[in-house]
Amino acid sequence: MRHALIALALIATPALAKPVEVTRFHTPETLASVRTGAAAVVPAAGMDPQSLETGTWLSAVQKEVALLGYGEATPGAADRVVEVRVERETLTSERTRNPVSVGVGGSTGGWNSGVGLGLGFSFGGGPKQRTWTRLSVVIRDRASGKALWEGRAENTEGAKDPRASVQQAAPRLAHALFTGFPGKSGETIVVK
């Protein structure tokens, strides 16, 4: 009975979200002015500004930028422009093991001898699909266009996992990216 309860608890325990890898870049000179003024969060070149998906990412980054103390402004009036780029890709991993295995064993000696045959089946299914996502953000000085701070957050989840959806991935990656802002330049950290 006890073993059955432990097994049930393991099955009922939800899988934990995969960690997010975060890397940020800045210089001592740019840090002096990165936190000042109002900011406009905009899609980077090549991103569809009218897309609902892009809007979800922009909203997630806007929320984190507001928590840092930036005021909200239009791109023409902002002190800082926060450029957001998102890359997503579905990755497929191929099966690395044969689904059927056969083992033969035997022993002889004394009064006993025997031969055994074992047959194993793998029910793991076919190839596994995962969704890889990278959120990249650049905070620029609007007047000069100079990059003051850059960062990226990356994560891979099972393609069918709800956490791989844009609605769940956007706020999670944006929060991870700005955790401990501005961060140590060039260091990759893992945010769970």
PDB file of all heavy atoms in Angstrom, residues 155-179:
ATOM      1  N   ASN A 155      15.324  29.152 -23.494  1.00  0.00           N
ATOM      2  CA  ASN A 155      14.658  28.046 -22.804  1.00  0.00           C
ATOM      3  C   ASN A 155      14.196  27.025 -23.835  1.00  0.00           C
ATOM      4  O   ASN A 155      13.881  27.373 -24.968  1.00  0.00           O
ATOM      5  CB  ASN A 155      13.469  28.607 -22.023  1.00  0.00           C
ATOM      6  CG  ASN A 155      12.584  27.547 -21.441  1.00  0.00           C
ATOM      7  OD1 ASN A 155      11.549  27.251 -22.010  1.00  0.00           O
ATOM      8  ND2 ASN A 155      12.954  26.971 -20.327  1.00  0.00           N
ATOM      9  N   THR A 156      14.162  25.760 -23.433  1.00  0.00           N
ATOM     10  CA  THR A 156      13.619  24.691 -24.267  1.00  0.00           C
ATOM     11  C   THR A 156      12.635  23.890 -23.434  1.00  0.00           C
ATOM     12  O   THR A 156      12.972  23.450 -22.339  1.00  0.00           O
ATOM     13  CB  THR A 156      14.742  23.763 -24.779  1.00  0.00           C
ATOM     14  OG1 THR A 156      15.704  24.550 -25.482  1.00  0.00           O
ATOM     15  CG2 THR A 156      14.193  22.705 -25.715  1.00  0.00           C
ATOM     16  N   GLU A 157      11.426  23.741 -23.941  1.00  0.00           N
ATOM     17  CA  GLU A 157      10.384  22.950 -23.276  1.00  0.00           C
ATOM     18  C   GLU A 157       9.847  21.934 -24.271  1.00  0.00           C
ATOM     19  O   GLU A 157       9.992  22.106 -25.487  1.00  0.00           O
ATOM     20  CB  GLU A 157       9.215  23.848 -22.828  1.00  0.00           C
ATOM     21  CG  GLU A 157       9.553  24.866 -21.772  1.00  0.00           C
ATOM     22  CD  GLU A 157       9.704  24.299 -20.367  1.00  0.00           C
ATOM     23  OE1 GLU A 157       9.463  23.087 -20.161  1.00  0.00           O
ATOM     24  OE2 GLU A 157      10.070  25.067 -19.471  1.00  0.00           O
ATOM     25  N   GLY A 158       9.189  20.896 -23.772  1.00  0.00           N
ATOM     26  CA  GLY A 158       8.517  19.952 -24.650  1.00  0.00           C
ATOM     27  C   GLY A 158       7.486  20.695 -25.487  1.00  0.00           C
ATOM     28  O   GLY A 158       6.787  21.574 -24.981  1.00  0.00           O
ATOM     29  N   ALA A 159       7.404  20.353 -26.767  1.00  0.00           N
ATOM     30  CA  ALA A 159       6.520  21.101 -27.673  1.00  0.00           C
ATOM     31  C   ALA A 159       5.063  21.050 -27.235  1.00  0.00           C
ATOM     32  O   ALA A 159       4.309  21.992 -27.472  1.00  0.00           O
ATOM     33  CB  ALA A 159       6.662  20.567 -29.096  1.00  0.00           C
ATOM     34  N   LYS A 160       4.649  19.977 -26.570  1.00  0.00           N
ATOM     35  CA  LYS A 160       3.258  19.846 -26.136  1.00  0.00           C
ATOM     36  C   LYS A 160       3.037  20.394 -24.724  1.00  0.00           C
ATOM     37  O   LYS A 160       1.906  20.455 -24.254  1.00  0.00           O
ATOM     38  CB  LYS A 160       2.825  18.387 -26.195  1.00  0.00           C
ATOM     39  CG  LYS A 160       2.778  17.849 -27.618  1.00  0.00           C
ATOM     40  CD  LYS A 160       2.339  16.407 -27.655  1.00  0.00           C
ATOM     41  CE  LYS A 160       2.331  15.893 -29.080  1.00  0.00           C
ATOM     42  NZ  LYS A 160       1.981  14.474 -29.154  1.00  0.00           N
ATOM     43  N   ASP A 161       4.108  20.794 -24.058  1.00  0.00           N
ATOM     44  CA  ASP A 161       4.014  21.324 -22.701  1.00  0.00           C
ATOM     45  C   ASP A 161       3.379  22.712 -22.768  1.00  0.00           C
ATOM     46  O   ASP A 161       3.798  23.546 -23.569  1.00  0.00           O
ATOM     47  CB  ASP A 161       5.412  21.415 -22.090  1.00  0.00           C
ATOM     48  CG  ASP A 161       5.400  21.731 -20.614  1.00  0.00           C
ATOM     49  OD1 ASP A 161       4.577  22.562 -20.174  1.00  0.00           O
ATOM     50  OD2 ASP A 161       6.216  21.147 -19.885  1.00  0.00           O
ATOM     51  N   PRO A 162       2.376  22.999 -21.938  1.00  0.00           N
ATOM     52  CA  PRO A 162       1.746  24.330 -21.955  1.00  0.00           C
ATOM     53  C   PRO A 162       2.740  25.463 -21.705  1.00  0.00           C
ATOM     54  O   PRO A 162       2.548  26.581 -22.171  1.00  0.00           O
ATOM     55  CB  PRO A 162       0.713  24.258 -20.825  1.00  0.00           C
ATOM     56  CG  PRO A 162       0.473  22.811 -20.589  1.00  0.00           C
ATOM     57  CD  PRO A 162       1.721  22.096 -20.988  1.00  0.00           C
ATOM     58  N   ARG A 163       3.842  25.182 -20.986  1.00  0.00           N
ATOM     59  CA  ARG A 163       4.839  26.218 -20.711  1.00  0.00           C
ATOM     60  C   ARG A 163       5.594  26.656 -21.961  1.00  0.00           C
ATOM     61  O   ARG A 163       6.270  27.666 -21.959  1.00  0.00           O
ATOM     62  CB  ARG A 163       5.812  25.740 -19.637  1.00  0.00           C
ATOM     63  CG  ARG A 163       5.150  25.653 -18.276  1.00  0.00           C
ATOM     64  CD  ARG A 163       6.083  25.023 -17.305  1.00  0.00           C
ATOM     65  NE  ARG A 163       6.247  23.623 -17.642  1.00  0.00           N
ATOM     66  CZ  ARG A 163       6.161  22.624 -16.786  1.00  0.00           C
ATOM     67  NH1 ARG A 163       5.928  22.868 -15.525  1.00  0.00           N
ATOM     68  NH2 ARG A 163       6.318  21.384 -17.171  1.00  0.00           N
ATOM     69  N   ALA A 164       5.483  25.880 -23.051  1.00  0.00           N
ATOM     70  CA  ALA A 164       6.114  26.268 -24.317  1.00  0.00           C
ATOM     71  C   ALA A 164       5.256  27.271 -25.082  1.00  0.00           C
ATOM     72  O   ALA A 164       5.728  27.890 -26.028  1.00  0.00           O
ATOM     73  CB  ALA A 164       6.374  25.032 -25.179  1.00  0.00           C
ATOM     74  N   SER A 165       4.009  27.443 -24.672  1.00  0.00           N
ATOM     75  CA  SER A 165       3.120  28.381 -25.369  1.00  0.00           C
ATOM     76  C   SER A 165       3.624  29.811 -25.179  1.00  0.00           C
ATOM     77  O   SER A 165       4.263  30.131 -24.182  1.00  0.00           O
ATOM     78  CB  SER A 165       1.686  28.269 -24.838  1.00  0.00           C
ATOM     79  OG  SER A 165       1.610  28.804 -23.529  1.00  0.00           O
ATOM     80  N   VAL A 166       3.329  30.656 -26.131  1.00  0.00           N
ATOM     81  CA  VAL A 166       3.753  32.056 -26.064  1.00  0.00           C
ATOM     82  C   VAL A 166       3.193  32.720 -24.810  1.00  0.00           C
ATOM     83  O   VAL A 166       3.880  33.490 -24.138  1.00  0.00           O
ATOM     84  CB  VAL A 166       3.305  32.815 -27.334  1.00  0.00           C
ATOM     85  CG1 VAL A 166       3.561  34.300 -27.197  1.00  0.00           C
ATOM     86  CG2 VAL A 166       4.016  32.255 -28.551  1.00  0.00           C
ATOM     87  N   GLN A 167       1.944  32.418 -24.464  1.00  0.00           N
ATOM     88  CA  GLN A 167       1.297  33.048 -23.309  1.00  0.00           C
ATOM     89  C   GLN A 167       2.030  32.749 -22.002  1.00  0.00           C
ATOM     90  O   GLN A 167       2.035  33.581 -21.097  1.00  0.00           O
ATOM     91  CB  GLN A 167      -0.167  32.598 -23.199  1.00  0.00           C
ATOM     92  CG  GLN A 167      -1.055  33.089 -24.316  1.00  0.00           C
ATOM     93  CD  GLN A 167      -0.821  32.348 -25.633  1.00  0.00           C
ATOM     94  OE1 GLN A 167      -0.314  31.232 -25.666  1.00  0.00           O
ATOM     95  NE2 GLN A 167      -1.164  33.000 -26.730  1.00  0.00           N
ATOM     96  N   GLN A 168       2.637  31.569 -21.889  1.00  0.00           N
ATOM     97  CA  GLN A 168       3.378  31.249 -20.668  1.00  0.00           C
ATOM     98  C   GLN A 168       4.869  31.548 -20.795  1.00  0.00           C
ATOM     99  O   GLN A 168       5.507  31.946 -19.830  1.00  0.00           O
ATOM    100  CB  GLN A 168       3.163  29.781 -20.291  1.00  0.00           C
ATOM    101  CG  GLN A 168       1.758  29.514 -19.793  1.00  0.00           C
ATOM    102  CD  GLN A 168       1.624  28.170 -19.136  1.00  0.00           C
ATOM    103  OE1 GLN A 168       2.555  27.654 -18.530  1.00  0.00           O
ATOM    104  NE2 GLN A 168       0.447  27.572 -19.255  1.00  0.00           N
ATOM    105  N   ALA A 169       5.428  31.363 -21.988  1.00  0.00           N
ATOM    106  CA  ALA A 169       6.865  31.581 -22.174  1.00  0.00           C
ATOM    107  C   ALA A 169       7.239  33.063 -22.093  1.00  0.00           C
ATOM    108  O   ALA A 169       8.273  33.412 -21.523  1.00  0.00           O
ATOM    109  CB  ALA A 169       7.320  30.988 -23.500  1.00  0.00           C
ATOM    110  N   ALA A 170       6.421  33.939 -22.654  1.00  0.00           N
ATOM    111  CA  ALA A 170       6.764  35.366 -22.705  1.00  0.00           C
ATOM    112  C   ALA A 170       6.984  35.968 -21.316  1.00  0.00           C
ATOM    113  O   ALA A 170       8.055  36.535 -21.057  1.00  0.00           O
ATOM    114  CB  ALA A 170       5.704  36.140 -23.488  1.00  0.00           C
ATOM    115  N   PRO A 171       6.026  35.862 -20.393  1.00  0.00           N
ATOM    116  CA  PRO A 171       6.285  36.474 -19.083  1.00  0.00           C
ATOM    117  C   PRO A 171       7.413  35.783 -18.318  1.00  0.00           C
ATOM    118  O   PRO A 171       8.164  36.437 -17.592  1.00  0.00           O
ATOM    119  CB  PRO A 171       4.949  36.343 -18.342  1.00  0.00           C
ATOM    120  CG  PRO A 171       4.134  35.376 -19.101  1.00  0.00           C
ATOM    121  CD  PRO A 171       4.664  35.332 -20.493  1.00  0.00           C
ATOM    122  N   ARG A 172       7.553  34.478 -18.517  1.00  0.00           N
ATOM    123  CA  ARG A 172       8.587  33.733 -17.794  1.00  0.00           C
ATOM    124  C   ARG A 172       9.985  34.132 -18.259  1.00  0.00           C
ATOM    125  O   ARG A 172      10.880  34.375 -17.452  1.00  0.00           O
ATOM    126  CB  ARG A 172       8.361  32.237 -17.990  1.00  0.00           C
ATOM    127  CG  ARG A 172       9.229  31.411 -17.126  1.00  0.00           C
ATOM    128  CD  ARG A 172       8.652  30.001 -16.982  1.00  0.00           C
ATOM    129  NE  ARG A 172       9.706  29.183 -16.482  1.00  0.00           N
ATOM    130  CZ  ARG A 172      10.421  28.347 -17.220  1.00  0.00           C
ATOM    131  NH1 ARG A 172      10.134  28.150 -18.465  1.00  0.00           N
ATOM    132  NH2 ARG A 172      11.400  27.681 -16.686  1.00  0.00           N
ATOM    133  N   LEU A 173      10.205  34.193 -19.571  1.00  0.00           N
ATOM    134  CA  LEU A 173      11.518  34.563 -20.089  1.00  0.00           C
ATOM    135  C   LEU A 173      11.824  36.038 -19.826  1.00  0.00           C
ATOM    136  O   LEU A 173      12.964  36.394 -19.514  1.00  0.00           O
ATOM    137  CB  LEU A 173      11.626  34.236 -21.581  1.00  0.00           C
ATOM    138  CG  LEU A 173      12.210  32.854 -21.895  1.00  0.00           C
ATOM    139  CD1 LEU A 173      11.316  31.726 -21.417  1.00  0.00           C
ATOM    140  CD2 LEU A 173      12.502  32.704 -23.360  1.00  0.00           C
ATOM    141  N   ALA A 174      10.828  36.902 -19.952  1.00  0.00           N
ATOM    142  CA  ALA A 174      11.042  38.328 -19.676  1.00  0.00           C
ATOM    143  C   ALA A 174      11.428  38.534 -18.212  1.00  0.00           C
ATOM    144  O   ALA A 174      12.361  39.288 -17.903  1.00  0.00           O
ATOM    145  CB  ALA A 174       9.794  39.130 -20.024  1.00  0.00           C
ATOM    146  N   HIS A 175      10.742  37.848 -17.316  1.00  0.00           N
ATOM    147  CA  HIS A 175      11.068  37.970 -15.886  1.00  0.00           C
ATOM    148  C   HIS A 175      12.483  37.462 -15.616  1.00  0.00           C
ATOM    149  O   HIS A 175      13.255  38.102 -14.895  1.00  0.00           O
ATOM    150  CB  HIS A 175      10.045  37.210 -15.040  1.00  0.00           C
ATOM    151  CG  HIS A 175      10.347  37.269 -13.585  1.00  0.00           C
ATOM    152  ND1 HIS A 175      10.162  38.419 -12.839  1.00  0.00           N
ATOM    153  CD2 HIS A 175      10.854  36.335 -12.745  1.00  0.00           C
ATOM    154  CE1 HIS A 175      10.539  38.185 -11.585  1.00  0.00           C
ATOM    155  NE2 HIS A 175      10.973  36.929 -11.507  1.00  0.00           N
ATOM    156  N   ALA A 176      12.833  36.322 -16.199  1.00  0.00           N
ATOM    157  CA  ALA A 176      14.175  35.766 -16.007  1.00  0.00           C
ATOM    158  C   ALA A 176      15.238  36.721 -16.531  1.00  0.00           C
ATOM    159  O   ALA A 176      16.274  36.937 -15.895  1.00  0.00           O
ATOM    160  CB  ALA A 176      14.286  34.411 -16.693  1.00  0.00           C
ATOM    161  N   LEU A 177      14.987  37.314 -17.695  1.00  0.00           N
ATOM    162  CA  LEU A 177      15.961  38.211 -18.316  1.00  0.00           C
ATOM    163  C   LEU A 177      16.276  39.410 -17.437  1.00  0.00           C
ATOM    164  O   LEU A 177      17.424  39.843 -17.336  1.00  0.00           O
ATOM    165  CB  LEU A 177      15.446  38.680 -19.674  1.00  0.00           C
ATOM    166  CG  LEU A 177      16.371  39.592 -20.467  1.00  0.00           C
ATOM    167  CD1 LEU A 177      17.707  38.923 -20.745  1.00  0.00           C
ATOM    168  CD2 LEU A 177      15.703  40.011 -21.761  1.00  0.00           C
ATOM    169  N   PHE A 178      15.263  39.960 -16.770  1.00  0.00           N
ATOM    170  CA  PHE A 178      15.464  41.162 -15.967  1.00  0.00           C
ATOM    171  C   PHE A 178      15.692  40.862 -14.479  1.00  0.00           C
ATOM    172  O   PHE A 178      15.819  41.793 -13.687  1.00  0.00           O
ATOM    173  CB  PHE A 178      14.298  42.125 -16.174  1.00  0.00           C
ATOM    174  CG  PHE A 178      14.308  42.743 -17.537  1.00  0.00           C
ATOM    175  CD1 PHE A 178      13.478  42.269 -18.535  1.00  0.00           C
ATOM    176  CD2 PHE A 178      15.183  43.779 -17.842  1.00  0.00           C
ATOM    177  CE1 PHE A 178      13.495  42.820 -19.811  1.00  0.00           C
ATOM    178  CE2 PHE A 178      15.213  44.338 -19.109  1.00  0.00           C
ATOM    179  CZ  PHE A 178      14.379  43.856 -20.093  1.00  0.00           C
ATOM    180  N   THR A 179      15.763  39.592 -14.092  1.00  0.00           N
ATOM    181  CA  THR A 179      16.066  39.237 -12.708  1.00  0.00           C
ATOM    182  C   THR A 179      17.495  39.668 -12.390  1.00  0.00           C
ATOM    183  O   THR A 179      18.426  39.334 -13.102  1.00  0.00           O
ATOM    184  CB  THR A 179      15.921  37.707 -12.492  1.00  0.00           C
ATOM    185  OG1 THR A 179      14.550  37.359 -12.688  1.00  0.00           O
ATOM    186  CG2 THR A 179      16.349  37.301 -11.104  1.00  0.00           C
TER     187      THR A 179
END
